[in-house]
């Protein structure tokens, strides 16, 4: 028996596919959705706990990858604490994907989590400790 919390990232063309249905029906897994962020025709994210037989879980993971979904552990999610951010811009210089971007003329920083590739460079670069992993974030609350 395995019980695993994961995050699934869906490309836009897969957002409306019955992925959960297949996990339950084809792989006999129990699916507990912890958080969902799904928008039609945009990239989506599902945080869920999967439980079931180890072999079924492994087969389901392979199937999900074959479908083009990204599977990430909870520690691989980056959180922007806007309440701590001073909009100094330091992170925008080192972020390789422009997930952290400086907006003009507002002179504010914004975070687009769908562009984030979890390189973690911003975690060390931020003087205000406004960038965290999801696990750090959960532990600090
Ligand atoms: S983890 Fe990397 S890609 Fe993601 S926001 Fe931070 S610097 Fe940008
Ligand atoms: S380095 Fe930290 S405080 Fe500065 S803009 Fe980026 S997230 Fe905000």
């Amino acid at each position: 028996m395995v019980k695993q919390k994961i995050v699934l990232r869906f490309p836009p063309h897969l957002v409306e596919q019955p992925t959960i249905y297949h996990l339950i029906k084809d792989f006999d897994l129990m699916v507990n959705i912890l958080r969902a962020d799904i928008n039609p025709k945009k990239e989506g994210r599902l945080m869920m706990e999967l439980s079931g037989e180890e072999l079924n879980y492994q087969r389901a993971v392979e199937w999900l990858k074959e479908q083009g979904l990204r599977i990430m552990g909870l520690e691989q999610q980056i959180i922007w604490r806007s309440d701590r951010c001073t909009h100094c811009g330091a992170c925008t210089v080192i972020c390789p994907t422009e997930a952290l971007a400086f907006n003009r003329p507002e002179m504010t920083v914004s975070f687009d989590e769908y562009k984030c590739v979890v390189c973690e460079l911003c975690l060390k670069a931020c003087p205000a400790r406004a960038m965290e992993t999801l696990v750090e974030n959960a532990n600090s609350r």
Side-chain angles (χ1 to χ4, degrees):
M1 190 79 174
V2 65
K3 194 181 235 189
Q4 190 75 37
K5 287 183 179 149
I6 62 168
V7 177
L8 284 185
R9 299 268 289 259
F10 295 76
H13 68 284
L14 292 178
V15 160
E16 296 180 42
Q17 296 300 310
T19 303
I20 303 302
Y21 168 81
H22 286 294
L23 289 176
I24 297 169
K25 180 175 173 293
D26 299 345
F27 301 100
D28 199 23
L29 294 176
M30 279 178 56
V31 179
N32 182 16
I33 295 176
L34 306 171
R35 186 169 148 186
D37 182 10
I38 302 285
N39 299 301
K41 309 222 173 350
K42 290 191 180 165
E43 197 179 68
R45 185 179 71 170
L46 266 183
M47 190 182 304
M48 60 172 72
E49 184 176 73
L50 295 177
S51 50
E53 294 300 325
E54 173 82 35
L55 186 59
N56 286 346
Y57 174 79
Q58 296 300 341
R59 286 176 51 229
V61 167
E62 287 308 311
W63 177 78
L64 289 166
K65 288 179 185 168
E66 284 166 17
Q67 302 308 303
L69 280 79
R70 269 176 81 191
I71 305 172
M72 307 167 86
L74 293 194
E75 72 286 356
Q76 294 175 293
Q77 295 294 295
I78 300 291
I79 302 282
W80 176 51
R81 294 281 299 269
S82 59
D83 57 322
R84 289 185 183 169
C85 178
T86 60
H87 301 274
C88 68
C91 57
T92 65
V93 180
I94 51 103
C95 179
T97 62
E98 298 184 353
L100 287 156
F102 202 69
N103 308 301
R104 298 176 196 274
E106 299 90 344
M107 308 297 277
T108 56
V109 167
S110 58
F111 175 53
D112 182 345
E113 65 181 299
Y114 294 115
K115 290 184 178 173
C116 176
V117 293
V118 200
C119 69
E120 299 191 358
L121 290 174
C122 57
L123 300 186
K124 297 190 184 93
C126 176
R129 300 176 63 85
M131 304 306 295
E132 295 180 335
T133 65
L134 187 64
V135 171
E136 286 172 333
N137 185 263
N139 290 341
S140 68
R141 283 170 184 250

